Amino acid sequence: FFFQAEDGIRDAQESRGLGDVYKRQVQLKCLAVDPSGEIVCAGSHEPYNIYVWNIQTGNLIDVIGGHNGPISCLAFSPSLGLLASGSWDKTVRIHDIFARKSRDEQYLSLIHI
């Protein structure tokens, strides 16, 4: 799946006088819907972000960074409202979508190629 994402800086001072919002297509690799059915999250291949939408309005409400590789899987906790994201960077990050907090856990690959 692809969608049009806004990249760049909106502030004219920060963008060296351009003040533009740059748009590009983002390839989405995985999806998760929260247990209440109100939020859908999608992980991207590059940039390494998670995009969060309100299902009722269709509005993009947050973009979560933090991984250093493509997002390969997403899953919501059925009772805690937490989102787990796994990445090719060998980390699993736990996100509290509503509190906008994240933490990461390193894991070791058990398969050596």
Side-chain angles (χ1 to χ4, degrees):
F1 300 104
F2 288 91
F3 89 103
Q4 198 75 8
E6 291 184 353
D7 269 347
I9 303 168
R10 294 174 192 259
D11 185 283
Q13 290 179 329
E14 293 291 325
S15 63
R16 291 171 276 191
L18 298 175
D20 294 330
V21 175
Y22 302 98
K23 293 190 177 198
R24 67 174 176 167
Q25 284 195 345
V26 173
Q27 183 179 10
L28 302 176
K29 301 295 280 182
C30 51
L31 294 170
V33 178
D34 82 308
S36 70
E38 295 177 13
I39 302 292
V40 65
C41 296
S44 65
H45 183 76
E46 201 279 322
Y48 313 135
N49 292 328
I50 299 166
Y51 297 88
V52 183
W53 287 275
N54 179 307
I55 290 177
Q56 292 179 354
T57 66
N59 292 334
L60 180 66
I61 57 175
D62 202 0
V63 178
I64 303 168
H67 280 293
N68 294 313
I71 313 301
S72 56
C73 57
L74 296 171
F76 271 99
S77 162
S79 59
L80 300 176
L82 300 175
L83 175 72
S85 60
S87 170
W88 293 4
D89 67 5
K90 298 182 181 177
T91 61
V92 173
R93 293 182 60 84
I94 307 298
H95 313 274
D96 187 336
I97 298 294
F98 302 102
R100 296 188 179 204
K101 294 181 183 176
S102 298
R103 67 172 199 242
D104 64 335
E105 303 294 332
Q106 292 282 342
Y107 66 91
L108 298 175
S109 174
L110 298 177
I111 301 172
H112 299 282
I113 299 176

